Amino acid sequence: MSFPPKYLARIIAVVSLSSLLAACGNDGNSNGSSSVAGAANSSASSSLIKVNQLGFLPESSKLAVVPDVPATSFKLLKAGTAIEVFSGTLSAAKVWDASRESVKVADFSSVKTPGDYQLHVDGLANSHVFSIAPDVYNALNAASIKAFYFNRSGVELLPEFAGKFARPLGHADTQVLIHPSAASDARPSGTVVSSPKGWYDAGDYNKYIVNSGISTYTLLAAYEHFPEIFNNQNLTIPESGNALPDLLDETLWNLEWMLTMQDPNDGGVYHKLTNENFDGTIMPHEALRERYLVQKTTAATLDFAAVMATASRVFAPYETQLPGLSAKMRKAAESAWEWANIHPAIVYKQPSDVRTGEYGDKTLSDEFAWAAAELYITTRVDGYYTALKPVDVFNSVPSWGNVNGLAWVSLAHHRAQLTNVADQTLIASRIKTLADNLLSTWYASPYKVSMEKHDFVWGSNSGALNQAMMLVQAYRLNGKRDYLDAAQAQLDYVLGRNATDTSFVTGFGEKSTLHPHHRPSEADGIPEPIPGFIAGGPQPGQQDKADCKAVYPSSVAAKSYLDNYCSYASNEIAINWNAPLVYVSAAIAALTPK
Ligand code: G3I
Ligand code: 9MR
């Protein structure tokens, strides 16, 4: 049998996609296929069928977005063939103001037979190849966690765990200096302290408590909510095979660092461990600048308290393996909470000699609420619930600077174990109100997503996934199928059903992010990026324009994405963007009916 060249390319892609899935399922070390779809410019991407390039579970809702062509129907074909397995009617065209495109939707949810497929619409190129398979997100979930291992500070990545991405130890951080902004009587400026381990924040090599807070919590929540997904998962990390699930081992790497960021003399927590300036495009072991602990802040201290309270309950069952750890974390959370109550408004102020990420945040009521909620759940002390001021705390899609939602996520999950002081009706209604807002956007959305134009800010892909996380909470509370389908839509969005026709996860999908702003991926001399990282995503700010010789293909919100290393404003990776990918890929796998 002979195939036209277009189909041959698709067949090659299917083979490499399948081998990627198989390999990542075993060791998570493999790297994905490179793009076979060719570079798309803005207008080219508008004339393409957009679909989740990885694919769907048999029982998932399955949608694709189709440009506004005269055709009124679509076909689902066996990949690489003209064999039709399903045909359906396209929806009426609508304009999405976020991408300024007129699009129709193809719904093929009723197709449940595992296999590799492509969509066909007369007048358009066939879609990327995607799968329907019961394990379609297993390798994605594993790789999205393994990405944290690849971003570990303070350890050599050995070939047996990192494969071709092995690298020498970088940033031991056993001798860092107290910065003048953090000086105290007990630890004057220039005091040497040890603060090893942890994950690099993003494409840079600094470590920031505020962003570590939401990231670490999201991984712990994934474990608390869906332990069955992680209990037997093998990520091929150094700790694999010990008594802890690999996800918890990986999370512990960062928790151990976070513990060192608390001043033992008063309970306050340093905002960040950082260089004065961002490093150049070099490998971790080549980055040898002096490192500092900078200013204790209320936000960092409260985020720390929330995470340590959460970790204390998650690690409690491992007393034999990790004696005293759970109690130590609880004490750390309590002393951080006390410090924050004595210093309720210390906002981060970037010292004049420091130029790295700020994670500055002037609104601290949400950090107070989140820390209080986690301390309440862990200690069952009613005073923390009262301190949370639940009636005044609304629910919102979480981000590093807005953590109200995390309090409601935890309260909802633990609702059956709360003391009488907790208002169960309020908890349920907070979850439902937010999810219903997202749902009504999803119902009306031309792209069938809950993203709107104003959601396209720096790290927009994490916004998409955090919306999904909040939809998932409502589904877990009342089982209404639309919440799950709307969450699935957000996963579809980051995996290719978006206006750039890109799967934003490195190594996953026929046309995936290839050049993330990630120093190791750029400096390691290996053509492809380290797999499992999600790029920040489109946003019209283009704050990196002056640093980019390459030109953005579009300035329209949902299309303002540049797959180039220079683009830290649209193509960086970050731990708080990967964490909801871990959560959502696990949630969809766990919750979708089998
Ligand atoms: O919240 C406002 C919103 O109200 C407004 O409408 C919108 C318009 O642009 O801006 C929003 O603020 C943005 C803010 O992120 C919150 O999303 C700012 O414009 C934007 O500049 C800011 O970007 C942050 C960026 O650092 C620059 O400070 C990102 O959130 C944050 O994720 C990113 O974090 C960096 C670290 O500093 C360093 N390490 C890498 C990491 C990822 O790029
Ligand atoms: O690489 C840095 C990235 O991690 C940050 O998110 C970003 C925003 O603060 O800054 C990047 O560093 C750039 C710096 O801000 C300006 N000069 C060029 C740097 C990247 O090459």
Side-chain angles (χ1 to χ4, degrees):
M1 195 189 299
S2 71
F3 293 99
K6 179 169 81 177
Y7 286 143
L8 270 181
R10 301 300 193 194
I11 291 163
I12 293 164
V14 177
V15 172
S16 54
L17 182 66
S18 327
S19 51
L20 169 72
L21 293 175
C24 270
N26 293 336
D27 59 21
N29 289 338
S30 311
N31 198 54
S33 59
S34 57
S35 167
V36 294
N41 61 37
S42 164
S43 55
S45 70
S46 282
S47 61
L48 296 171
I49 299 172
K50 320 292 190 343
V51 66
N52 175 337
Q53 296 175 23
L54 201 54
F56 306 90
L57 296 164
E59 296 294 332
S60 296
S61 153
K62 305 177 191 76
L63 304 179
V65 167
V66 175
D68 183 2
V69 287
T72 55
S73 64
F74 69 95
K75 290 176 188 166
L76 189 67
L77 308 178
K78 273 194 174 189
T81 78
I83 302 169
E84 179 184 325
V85 295
F86 178 78
S87 67
T89 306
L90 293 168
S91 73
K94 282 199 274 184
V95 175
W96 195 33
D97 65 345
S99 69
R100 297 196 197 146
E101 296 166 296
S102 180
V103 294
K104 305 179 176 186
V105 172
D107 185 342
F108 50 101
S109 303
S110 60
V111 181
K112 298 176 180 192
T113 310
D116 293 329
Y117 300 97
Q118 281 176 284
L119 287 153
H120 171 86
V121 173
D122 286 347
L124 296 171
N126 286 352
S127 76
H128 293 289
V129 174
F130 59 88
S131 309
I132 296 177
D135 59 354
V136 71
Y137 302 130
N138 291 13
L140 171 73
N141 180 259
S144 63
I145 305 171
K146 183 89 179 225
F148 288 84
Y149 165 77
F150 285 120
N151 247 27
R152 281 189 191 186
S153 151
V155 68
E156 179 182 3
L157 303 192
L158 294 167
E160 59 201 289
F161 309 116
K164 64 180 167 186
F165 301 107
R167 59 166 170 81
L169 179 151
H171 304 91
D173 287 338
T174 48
Q175 293 190 309
V176 299
L177 303 178
I178 296 290
H179 186 268
S181 61
S184 60
D185 289 346
R187 287 180 160 188
S189 170
T191 305
V192 178
V193 297
S194 179
S195 190
K197 300 192 174 180
W199 303 306
Y200 300 127
D201 182 57
D204 64 326
Y205 293 139
N206 304 296
K207 306 192 283 197
Y208 308 81
I209 284 290
V210 165
N211 205 41
S212 260
I214 183 170
S215 310
T216 308
Y217 167 80
T218 303
L219 297 184
L220 292 172
Y223 184 74
E224 278 198 307
H225 300 185
F226 312 109
E228 70 277 16
I229 297 288
F230 304 107
N231 277 335
N232 297 312
Q233 191 179 45
N234 181 358
L235 301 175
T236 321
I237 57 176
E239 299 80 7
S240 294
N242 71 8
L244 275 68
D246 284 3
L247 174 63
L248 293 190
D249 280 316
E250 191 51 54
T251 309
L252 192 53
W253 187 263
N254 202 55
L255 285 161
E256 288 178 329
W257 166 66
M258 289 182 79
L259 283 167
T260 71
M261 290 293 280
Q262 184 172 40
D263 183 346
N265 302 295
D266 63 8
V269 177
Y270 302 101
H271 198 72
K272 59 179 177 176
L273 188 165
T274 183
N275 303 345
E276 287 182 339
N277 283 304
F278 288 114
D279 288 301
T281 307
I282 51 179
M283 292 297 283
H285 65 282
E286 298 165 333
L288 301 171
R289 291 182 182 160
E290 203 73 78
R291 309 266 273 181
Y292 298 90
L293 297 191
V294 178
Q295 198 194 344
K296 286 177 228 167
T297 63
T298 309
T301 304
L302 288 167
D303 287 345
F304 172 98
V307 170
M308 286 304 159
T310 308
S312 169
R313 58 178 189 260
V314 173
F315 285 90
Y318 300 100
E319 190 57 31
T320 316
Q321 293 81 14
L322 301 163
L325 179 68
S326 173
K328 180 179 173 182
M329 288 167 159
R330 175 176 164 159
K331 260 187 81 185
E334 287 166 339
S335 61
W337 172 258
E338 281 163 29
W339 186 93
N341 279 277
I342 298 167
H343 307 91
I346 302 191
V347 168
Y348 182 67
K349 190 171 176 298
Q350 184 92 301
S352 58
D353 57 343
V354 176
R355 287 185 185 80
T356 53
E358 296 199 20
Y359 291 116
D361 180 11
K362 293 194 179 79
T363 307
L364 299 171
S365 54
D366 54 314
E367 283 80 10
F368 269 105
W370 180 36
E374 302 302 348
L375 276 157
Y376 166 61
I377 294 162
T378 297
T379 65
R380 298 171 59 81
V381 170
D382 287 351
Y384 287 119
Y385 185 82
T386 317
L388 158 61
K389 303 194 185 102
V391 178
D392 301 334
V393 178
F394 291 91
N395 196 5
S396 48
V397 175
S399 65
W400 63 259
N402 181 5
V403 292
N404 274 337
L406 305 180
W408 294 112
V409 169
S410 284
L411 288 167
H413 175 71
H414 291 279
R415 64 195 178 283
Q417 285 82 44
L418 303 180
T419 65
N420 289 337
V421 73
D423 182 343
Q424 297 281 349
T425 311
L426 182 70
I427 295 169
S429 94
R430 286 285 191 268
I431 295 289
K432 185 171 184 304
T433 303
L434 175 62
D436 284 348
N437 278 334
L438 295 167
L439 209 54
S440 55
T441 304
W442 176 71
Y443 287 137
S445 166
Y447 250 77
K448 278 298 224 178
V449 291
S450 45
M451 297 282 283
E452 296 181 275
K453 194 175 169 190
H454 60 81
D455 292 317
F456 288 88
V457 295
W458 194 310
S460 59
N461 283 335
S462 71
L465 291 168
N466 281 318
Q467 288 181 344
M469 185 168 88
M470 301 318 274
L471 286 157
V472 160
Q473 304 317 309
Y475 181 71
R476 296 180 76 223
L477 270 187
N478 70 17
K480 178 170 152 183
R481 178 66 199 235
D482 285 2
Y483 293 128
L484 182 63
D485 292 349
Q488 170 79 45
Q490 301 299 100
L491 186 60
D492 293 350
Y493 170 87
V494 300
L495 293 173
R497 180 154 62 83
N498 60 63
T500 71
D501 182 46
T502 304
S503 164
F504 294 112
V505 183
T506 56
F508 287 83
E510 275 190 14
K511 181 176 174 263
S512 60
T513 294
L514 291 176
H515 308 288
H517 187 80
H518 181 225
R519 284 168 173 74
S521 287
E522 182 70 6
D524 62 7
I526 298 169
E528 61 270 28
I530 299 175
F533 284 103
I534 186 163
Q539 60 104 359
Q542 304 190 354
Q543 292 89 337
D544 45 26
K545 236 178 176 168
D547 291 310
C548 279
K549 288 199 188 81
V551 177
Y552 274 83
S554 171
S555 57
V556 173
K559 290 178 160 186
S560 180
Y561 170 70
L562 181 58
D563 186 10
N564 189 297
Y565 173 73
C566 71
S567 183
Y568 48 84
S570 81
N571 210 31
E572 189 161 1
I573 62 89
I575 55 173
N576 63 317
W577 307 341
N578 253 70
L581 178 62
V582 172
Y583 186 97
V584 173
S585 55
I588 297 285
L591 297 174
T592 303
K594 301 288 178 288

